[in-house]
Amino acid sequence: MPQQGLLREQSGPGVVSAPAAAGSVRDTGERPAPVLADSRIRRPASLSLGDVARLMERLPAQVRRLLEEEVAHGHAFLFVPVLVGAGAVFWFTLPRDPPAQIPLVLFVAFAIATIVVQQRSGRLPLLLFAPALVLAGMALAQFETWRHATVILDSPVTTTIAGEVHRREPAGEGRWRYFIRVQQTEQPTLRRPPRDVVLLARGKHRPFEAGAAIRGRARLSPPSGPALPGLNDFAFRSFHDGIGAIGFFYGAPQAAVPSQDAALDWGRALERWIFSLRSMIADRIRSVVPGDAGAFAAAIVTDERRAISRETTEALRISGLAHIVAISGLNMALAAGIFFVGLRSCLCLFTGFAQAWPVKKIAATGALLMATAYYLVSGFAVSAERAYLMMAVMLIAVWFDRAAISLRNIALAALIMLAMAPSEIMGPSFQMSFAATAALVAGYAYWSRRGAGEDSEPSIFARGRLAPMLTGWHWMAGIFATSLIGGLSTAIYSMEHFHRLAGYGLAANLAVMPIISFVVMPAGLLGMLLMPLGLDAPLLKLMGLGLEAVIAVAKHVAAWGGDVGTGRQHPWFLSIASIGFLILALLRTRLRLVGVPIMALAFALSWQANRLPPSDVLVSDDGALVALVSAGVATNRTRPPAFIFDQWQRALLLPEPVAPVMSPASDIGIAAAGDPSVKAALTDEQRDRVRSEMSSMLALAAADAGRFHCLPKLWCVAVAHEGGVSIVVVEDPRLAGSACDLAALVVAPRARFDECRSGAVLLNAASLRKTGAIEIYLNGSPHPSLWRVNAASAGTRRPWTSHRLYDWRNDSFDETLPLALLRMISGSGG
């Protein structure tokens, strides 16, 4: 063979070739490396050009051999969900919906062609099968989007809403968050109402149970879009969760008369019963274990997380322990594993029964039933669904005497998840959980192959009284390796989605994993089993004590700092890093090392993206928050909305904002915004006063460049360091015209016109709804024609963004933008 010839050429008088050494090395699926028998043999200092040419000629043959070895190990199957997922990602990231029939027709064509040529040798079947899988992912994504068809509210509105409580969650002291199936709206009646909404009730009231009819005056808003171009689009997740609007009740909601049209089928009745049971369990846990520890325990069991205080939530996030709160693979694996080991150990106590019956399979069946109950009680959480699928595949593998923990089982679970909900691949939860699981299994398999080839001579520590020390060392080393691999494998997804890394996450996880594994989860599992008998209180209190220790560790580690900001990543960072990670984790031969330079390229792109100059002006998608970015960051709000500004701060690595200079109320002869008389048009005299006052404030702002100067409830002005661009943010729509005459950039959400006659750039609510949040690069010029604009949503029309284009006045969708704004966006590729 060519490979053997190459090895013979490299052999010498002290070198044993691979075939000769085969008997002394265990076959792990990789070709053994040449073994040096004489250390005095010198390697050539360098290769000649002829040697390099011969090596390059033989390289394709070596790669082909390694690929054949991967196929022989069955690792080709591991890339089936990868290709299906790639197709789903491609479909979800398109700016517009492709024709519905194209993915399906192409998939059928490639599938038929693959079946026809499957008996042929060579690369043709693979070349046909791979695009068929990608097209299958596209078709699944399209089908899921068509199946949901969620109607998202187009713009904020205050209306009276009546509907049925689907489920509820605590949202802090005396507050409840209700998931409501809308049955009626009035005052005004919505022409395009959402089907399901999530509303926060802050008024004091008796909580409504699932299935209750509810009514109240509410403020509804569409789910938030990206806070900046390239950031998370919350409307995407809301669309696929069926949530069309979010908001809050004015005052306490009232009980309503149930609708006669709401037919209750058995599916909805079962779901209502499960959610009622879930609420009862959570209330029971919080009543036995007060404070954050009880809220934490309820979150681990039922996935109701909002009752945990903001301080504790932030400490868990900074310390890298937030994953414990979600019902993820860790919780499901611990619960099912504890039940499996416990049941199997109990059955083995009965020797006759254990010899006559397959106790391992019986224990696997019991663990599967327990995991199913855990999933149902969790309220069908997405993270719990994914963890349950992985655990179910592993436990079912035990029935067929197959390895429970393997990369094939993880790939099968991922494939099932993609078939059920392909949109989940776009979220950090799916990406991080499967990445961590695949990395852990691959690392364990690699370590096992290494250990199998070593001499089995026992250490002196493995005998006598020192044996417990070795066992403890192995246990601690296992926890360290698990935490390290899990942290490293999820780092790229944390950088992409959250723009930060937990610097001391490894230390925190090492400290709390024994508590979670040996105190919290066993006590919680036994407490749930004994809850129907009323014997759960001691175990729940023990669980609470363990979680109090976890919270103490989280707060202690969070006090160290360690919240490392990574900033917004390069657009290709996630794709390239994921390709490198998958090659490194899923392949078995030396081909896996190809993933290392690919991941290095991704991190080089990340470094390059963070060195680019930031944008000069940031505008939120509702125009309420504007920021100037130079040496620091200045905003037009004394207390900027945390939801938006926190995302800006993480993505752009911004410092704390500089508050605006608030001028005392000036007597300019007009009512402030919000006054009933604000609708009255300005007189010529009032307009002159406005221009004079606004011009004076712009002069002050020019002397204090990079900071906003505001007149409460009327306007804010600033002058940018870059190019001396004057900016006016107007709250009163009557002042937009005067602002256009004095400034180069006007942000007036309530302005009734779209363009300034003066040539200034105007951003009103209608334009910002279509563009989404924008960032402006002034390029050191006061002339708008030389500016560059990146827009979060401009140029896209997908089912989860089309509500931005809807005009309720004429019941149509309008994509037109002012020409000047459109030119700046098109010039930036936005």
Side-chain angles (χ1 to χ4, degrees):
M1 295 177 62
Q3 294 77 12
Q4 293 174 349
L6 178 61
L7 289 174
R8 281 195 295 271
E9 288 179 8
Q10 296 174 342
S11 302
V15 179
V16 181
S17 64
S24 60
V25 179
R26 185 180 182 273
D27 183 12
T28 62
E30 298 184 16
R31 198 176 190 83
V35 181
L36 291 176
D38 189 346
S39 61
R40 294 173 296 177
I41 299 298
R42 296 182 178 178
R43 295 182 180 271
S46 61
L47 293 175
S48 66
L49 293 177
D51 294 334
V52 173
R54 283 191 295 274
L55 287 173
M56 293 301 294
E57 289 176 359
R58 293 184 175 92
L59 185 60
Q62 293 186 37
V63 172
R64 186 163 54 252
R65 178 181 62 82
L66 293 175
L67 287 174
E68 291 172 354
E69 189 174 336
E70 294 287 353
V71 173
H73 285 299
H75 282 209
F77 174 75
L78 304 182
F79 288 88
V80 172
V82 173
L83 293 173
V84 174
V89 170
F90 176 75
W91 193 90
F92 285 126
T93 53
L94 289 174
R96 294 180 178 272
D97 288 348
Q101 64 274 16
I102 289 181
L104 183 60
V105 171
L106 290 177
F107 166 69
V108 172
F110 274 96
I112 293 175
T114 303
I115 294 173
V116 170
V117 302
Q118 66 175 342
Q119 300 300 329
R120 297 187 183 181
S121 60
R123 304 176 184 176
L124 183 59
L126 179 62
L127 293 176
L128 293 174
F129 187 55
L133 292 174
V134 174
L135 290 165
M138 295 178 63
L140 287 170
Q142 191 169 38
F143 176 74
E144 184 192 18
T145 303
W146 169 81
R147 178 167 56 88
H148 285 289
T150 303
V151 175
I152 298 181
L153 186 69
D154 55 282
S155 57
V157 64
T158 298
T159 183
T160 300
I161 185 172
E164 178 186 316
V165 175
H166 182 54
R167 60 189 175 103
R168 68 176 191 183
E169 291 180 353
E173 188 65 31
R175 302 188 299 177
W176 290 89
R177 181 170 275 99
Y178 293 104
F179 294 73
I180 301 173
R181 181 71 47 85
V182 178
Q183 296 170 348
Q184 182 183 6
T185 60
E186 58 185 16
Q187 297 178 349
T189 299
L190 302 185
R191 181 179 296 178
R192 191 170 173 267
R195 182 186 178 192
D196 292 290
V197 300
V198 180
L199 296 178
L200 177 66
R202 292 174 288 196
K204 186 176 181 181
H205 66 286
R206 183 177 181 181
F208 290 92
E209 301 291 342
I214 191 172
R215 179 185 179 87
R217 192 73 174 168
R219 178 66 173 178
L220 300 179
S221 300
S224 300
L228 281 178
L231 300 192
N232 183 42
D233 186 357
F234 295 94
F236 176 85
R237 187 69 267 146
S238 293
F239 176 89
H240 290 93
D241 288 341
I243 304 300
I246 58 176
F248 58 89
F249 282 109
Y250 289 105
Q254 306 296 322
V257 179
S259 173
Q260 301 296 327
D261 299 331
L264 185 65
D265 56 20
W266 67 270
R268 287 180 59 195
L270 177 61
E271 186 179 30
R272 178 185 298 179
W273 178 81
I274 290 174
F275 279 117
S276 297
L277 177 63
R278 175 178 178 243
S279 296
M280 290 172 56
I281 293 174
D283 292 342
R284 169 62 179 172
I285 294 174
R286 287 191 292 266
S287 66
V288 174
V289 185
D292 276 348
F296 199 166
I300 290 178
V301 175
T302 66
D303 203 47
E304 288 188 0
R305 314 177 202 175
R306 297 186 183 273
I308 305 175
S309 69
R310 183 181 297 273
E311 178 188 6
T312 299
T313 301
E314 189 70 6
L316 291 169
R317 181 191 60 75
I318 294 175
S319 61
L321 299 176
H323 65 93
I324 301 175
V325 181
I327 299 179
S328 57
L330 171 68
N331 309 58
M332 191 70 72
L334 286 174
I338 292 169
F339 193 92
F340 175 81
V341 172
L343 181 58
R344 188 180 183 187
S345 300
C346 291
L347 293 177
C348 287
L349 294 176
F350 303 94
T351 309
F353 182 85
Q355 292 177 344
W357 296 90
V359 293
K360 182 178 179 180
K361 296 180 181 180
I362 295 174
T365 303
L368 180 59
L369 293 175
M370 190 282 308
T372 303
Y374 192 8
Y375 166 62
L376 294 177
V377 170
S378 72
F380 313 106
V382 173
S383 57
E385 179 180 357
R386 187 172 48 258
Y388 171 71
L389 283 174
M390 284 195 287
M391 189 55 56
V393 169
M394 293 177 182
L395 291 172
I396 291 174
V398 175
W399 296 352
F400 300 96
D401 299 314
R402 304 295 297 270
I405 302 176
S406 69
L407 287 174
R408 290 178 63 87
N409 288 347
I410 296 173
L412 182 60
L415 198 57
I416 296 172
M417 190 71 191
L418 288 171
M420 295 174 57
S423 62
E424 292 299 329
I425 197 173
M426 302 297 292
S429 182
F430 180 99
Q431 296 168 8
M432 296 177 79
S433 63
F434 274 106
T437 307
L440 288 169
V441 174
Y444 173 78
Y446 175 73
W447 188 258
S448 298
R449 291 196 299 272
R450 281 178 55 90
E454 296 178 356
D455 221 351
S456 58
E457 180 67 23
S459 168
I460 60 171
F461 294 102
R463 299 188 295 268
R465 297 179 179 179
L466 298 178
M469 295 177 57
L470 182 64
T471 302
W473 165 252
H474 286 165
W475 178 66
M476 290 301 298
I479 293 179
F480 176 82
T482 299
S483 300
L484 181 63
I485 294 174
L488 292 177
S489 61
T490 57
I492 57 176
Y493 303 102
S494 181
M495 291 171 62
E496 171 68 21
H497 296 286
F498 307 118
H499 316 299
R500 56 161 55 113
L501 293 173
Y504 300 110
L506 179 60
N509 278 275
L510 286 174
V512 305
M513 278 304 106
I515 302 174
I516 295 293
S517 302
F518 295 103
V519 178
V520 173
M521 292 306 296
L525 178 60
L526 290 175
M528 291 302 100
L529 294 175
L530 295 177
M531 186 175 286
L533 304 177
L535 303 176
D536 56 319
L539 291 164
L540 292 181
K541 290 179 180 179
L542 177 61
M543 183 183 186
L545 290 174
L547 290 174
E548 286 179 359
V550 171
I551 294 173
V553 170
K555 292 181 177 180
H556 182 71
V557 173
W560 299 350
D563 192 14
V564 181
T566 60
R568 182 172 49 182
Q569 300 303 307
H570 190 279
W572 286 98
F573 167 78
L574 183 62
S575 300
I576 295 175
S578 296
I579 291 172
F581 168 77
L582 290 170
I583 291 174
L584 190 61
L586 300 186
L587 296 184
R588 175 168 174 163
T589 65
R590 289 189 297 273
L591 282 178
R592 65 178 178 271
L593 299 179
V594 175
V596 175
I598 295 177
M599 294 187 70
L601 172 61
F603 284 101
L605 290 176
S606 172
W607 175 81
Q608 184 264 345
N610 286 325
R611 289 179 61 86
L612 294 175
S615 51
D616 300 299
V617 183
L618 309 176
V619 184
S620 64
D621 61 359
D622 59 357
L625 181 63
V626 181
L628 278 176
V629 182
S630 53
V633 57
T635 64
N636 65 320
R637 295 295 184 95
T638 304
R639 299 178 63 182
F643 179 75
I644 298 295
F645 188 78
D646 285 353
Q647 295 182 71
W648 289 2
Q649 199 168 29
R650 293 196 305 268
L652 302 180
L653 301 178
L654 300 176
E656 289 301 313
V658 176
V661 177
M662 303 300 295
S663 300
S666 178
D667 184 15
I668 58 175
I670 66 171
D675 192 281
S677 62
V678 77
K679 297 182 179 179
L682 297 182
T683 64
D684 291 340
E685 181 183 358
Q686 290 173 327
R687 194 172 290 108
D688 291 339
R689 289 183 181 180
V690 166
R691 287 198 183 97
S692 175
E693 185 73 18
M694 195 177 291
S695 179
S696 299
M697 291 189 67
L698 278 170
L700 290 174
D704 188 16
R707 187 173 187 180
F708 280 94
H709 290 248
C710 300
L711 197 61
K713 298 185 179 180
L714 291 177
W715 67 67
C716 289
V717 301
V719 175
H721 286 288
E722 281 285 320
V725 175
S726 54
I727 303 169
V728 177
V729 182
V730 175
E731 294 189 36
D732 190 331
R734 300 174 299 172
L735 310 180
S738 299
C740 285
D741 295 337
L742 298 172
L745 173 62
V746 179
V747 181
R750 299 168 62 190
R752 300 182 180 92
F753 52 92
D754 297 326
E755 296 184 81
C756 293
R757 291 178 296 182
S758 64
V761 176
L762 174 66
L763 301 174
N764 62 6
S767 297
L768 288 171
R769 277 185 60 212
K770 298 171 185 177
T771 63
I774 66 174
E775 48 186 350
I776 304 174
Y777 296 82
L778 301 176
N779 296 325
S781 172
H783 303 292
S785 59
L786 299 178
W787 299 350
R788 180 165 61 92
V789 173
N790 286 343
S793 302
T796 64
R797 183 174 178 181
R798 303 305 301 274
W800 49 89
T801 63
S802 59
H803 64 282
R804 292 180 167 274
L805 311 175
Y806 180 73
D807 186 351
W808 60 270
R809 295 174 180 83
N810 52 25
D811 194 22
S812 64
F813 293 86
D814 180 16
E815 298 184 61
T816 59
L817 282 171
L819 186 59
L821 181 60
L822 183 61
R823 284 174 178 169
M824 288 190 291
I825 293 174
S826 299
S828 69

